[in-house]
Amino acid sequence: MISKLLCLSNRYRVAIALAGFVAVSAAGIKAVAAAEPSFIDSTAYLINPQEVHFGALVYVAPFALLKAGTDAAHAIHIGSETDVQDSVTVDASSGAVMLGEQVIVAHGAAVKGHAEVGEHGVCPGTATHCPSFVGFNALVDHGNVEKDAMVLHLARVGSGVTIPSGCKVFPGKNITSQAQVGVPPACNPPFTAPVTEDDRVFMAGVIEVNVCFAEKYTELATANPDNVRGINFDPDCPFNPGNQLPTLHKVPTRDPEFRNRIIGDVRMLDDLPKLNEVMGNKISLRADEGFPFAVGSILKMGDRTTFHALEHTHLRLGNNGRYGFHSLVHGGGPAGFATKTGHDFTLGKEAVFFGSQAGVKVTVGCRSLVQQSTLANGTTVPNFTVMIGNVVMGTVEWGTCPPPADEEDDDSND
């Protein structure tokens, strides 16, 4: 059955050509040249693609927005082995954005130009290339992040600020001046801290995974362009071998026409008609790295929700879940760890629930981060809270909660 579905389809033979060309949203650009074998998901949206330039082995995930201007001063350059993850915005409309080699722009993050990530700086030892990282729902806002530097989840780097090699910005911090940053190796707690060897191992692992995605999603699309659309197979990578389909209400399901991306071993209690009712748009549930995802009944899933997991971890989510606009559930932790929620879990708009577990009737407020924590039954985490290891570490110091009528979306993400 799988081999038949992986065969080349005449119907969509010209819809996506992924041997030097990759397709993007049908609402936007038909196709854009990229170095082989880079991959751009069929739902990604490129504006002025003639000014978007790719290296090799780049992976661009579902519903990413790459917004270039019309000239070289407003171009986007993406270096080799860089990944632009789900619902990321790279916006060069007010100045060029340079993403160097091995840059990780994690789920929901944004980089607004003029900005540079991973272009300059130094790597540990004698290495020429090394990763840099922009975390979940973080923002590089006309700032710069050097090689071997990190901006952790829900943090912001403001205009003209450079995060130097060897430093990382703590979650939720709003860095508006160079004086807040400090210099390595000390950096400047409580705003920044030194990048650790564990951080470097983590970033190297992310790069390895996404290089495999660039190669293997390309293979899926070359076999049959339908394979990289809607509800579909995951790619065959060493950390997640084989090609799995999602299961909706116990039925293996492949539907390339579905508006959202559900990929790999995602086991959903709801059937497809129910998902059509409760899901918003531009949603990515992607069990192509960590798996399986066991997802209970959904009451509401807002636009741009993302589910993902680090390799060798998985998700187990209870019934009656509510997931707010641009929220993220991400698996993490030791091998075999389940990121887990009980029934009646509510995740606020733009909130991140990462490598954690929650009991029943738990609410995580808007623009909050819960990481490596366990929440007891009935817990409410206030808006703008940063909780790591069961300790409130501070607040998210920038941004506002989206208004009730946030069900966007113009594709500019302005």
Side-chain angles (χ1 to χ4, degrees):
M1 178 64 174
I2 289 178
S3 61
K4 181 178 179 181
L5 289 168
L6 293 178
C7 291
L8 188 62
S9 160
N10 288 329
R11 179 182 177 192
Y12 292 104
R13 188 182 300 271
V14 297
I16 304 175
L18 252 173
F21 289 88
V22 283
V24 298
S25 169
I29 307 305
K30 294 292 185 184
V32 58
E36 188 179 353
S38 287
F39 178 82
I40 302 173
D41 191 83
S42 61
T43 61
Y45 195 92
L46 276 66
I47 297 175
N48 295 315
Q50 72 279 5
E51 294 297 343
V52 182
H53 309 284
F54 297 89
L57 294 171
V58 172
Y59 172 65
V60 179
F63 305 109
L65 169 64
L66 305 179
K67 184 179 181 181
T70 57
D71 56 25
H74 300 85
I76 296 172
H77 296 268
I78 301 177
S80 297
E81 299 188 4
T82 283
D83 56 277
V84 177
Q85 297 182 11
D86 310 76
S87 284
V88 160
T89 296
V90 180
D91 184 355
S93 58
S94 60
V97 175
M98 311 291 290
L99 303 181
E101 296 186 3
Q102 298 187 349
V103 172
I104 302 158
V105 188
H107 313 286
V111 181
K112 297 184 178 181
H114 185 276
E116 296 181 353
V117 182
E119 274 288 291
H120 302 287
V122 296
C123 296
T126 60
T128 303
H129 307 293
C130 57
S132 51
F133 181 82
V134 181
F136 306 144
N137 286 0
L139 172 61
V140 178
D141 193 0
H142 305 84
N144 304 295
V145 181
E146 292 190 339
K147 300 174 182 180
D148 192 43
M150 305 178 77
V151 180
L152 296 182
H153 315 309
L154 281 159
R156 175 182 177 272
V157 177
S159 179
V161 176
T162 295
I163 308 304
S165 300
C167 285
K168 62 184 177 185
V169 179
F170 280 117
K173 292 298 179 182
N174 184 19
I175 306 299
T176 59
S177 72
Q178 199 63 41
Q180 290 174 290
V181 177
V183 294
C187 306
N188 189 28
F191 303 103
T192 64
V195 174
T196 68
E197 289 308 307
D198 284 346
D199 293 329
R200 294 183 177 111
V201 169
F202 164 75
M203 289 191 285
V206 174
I207 295 298
E208 181 180 5
V209 164
N210 285 277
V211 164
C212 189
F213 289 163
E215 295 175 327
K216 297 300 184 177
Y217 274 110
T218 296
E219 291 181 8
L220 279 175
T222 301
N224 181 349
D226 264 2
N227 291 334
V228 292
R229 301 171 64 239
I231 302 172
N232 232 307
F233 300 106
D234 59 357
D236 181 9
C237 284
F239 46 83
N240 189 344
N243 301 111
Q244 288 72 228
L245 278 176
T247 303
L248 309 185
H249 199 58
K250 300 184 179 181
V251 178
T253 302
R254 179 177 183 266
D255 183 356
E257 302 304 316
F258 192 62
R259 67 186 182 276
N260 295 316
R261 291 288 269 133
I262 306 177
I263 301 170
D265 191 2
V266 182
R267 306 170 188 180
M268 306 197 75
L269 184 63
D270 296 326
D271 59 17
L272 191 55
K274 174 72 179 300
L275 293 179
N276 263 312
E277 292 178 9
V278 300
M279 294 179 90
N281 300 305
K282 302 185 179 180
I283 289 167
S284 180
L285 312 183
R286 189 156 60 86
D288 52 7
E289 184 179 351
F291 69 98
F293 295 178
V295 182
S297 61
I298 296 168
L299 292 180
K300 179 69 175 178
M301 184 174 284
D303 293 353
R304 295 195 180 277
T305 297
T306 299
F307 290 178
H308 202 233
L310 299 180
E311 57 184 308
H312 311 307
T313 69
H314 59 282
L315 305 183
R316 191 159 73 244
L317 309 180
N319 292 330
N320 304 320
R322 295 179 180 270
Y323 307 93
F325 165 75
H326 216 287
S327 63
L328 171 65
V329 178
H330 205 290
F337 184 80
T339 291
K340 182 169 61 175
T341 67
H343 302 321
D344 303 304
F345 176 74
T346 298
L347 185 62
K349 297 171 184 177
E350 299 182 351
V352 175
F353 190 77
F354 178 32
S356 296
Q357 298 188 339
V360 300
K361 297 185 183 299
V362 167
T363 296
V364 177
C366 163
R367 293 182 60 77
S368 288
L369 168 66
V370 175
Q371 179 175 336
Q372 297 170 326
S373 296
T374 300
L375 305 180
N377 295 345
T379 298
T380 295
V381 178
N383 297 345
F384 300 99
T385 299
V386 175
M387 177 183 286
I388 301 175
N390 299 310
V391 177
V392 174
M393 308 295 290
T395 62
V396 176
E397 299 173 346
W398 61 284
T400 59
C401 288
D406 64 23
E407 303 304 326
E408 47 135 345
D409 228 7
D410 70 353
D411 282 298
S412 68
N413 267 20
D414 287 341

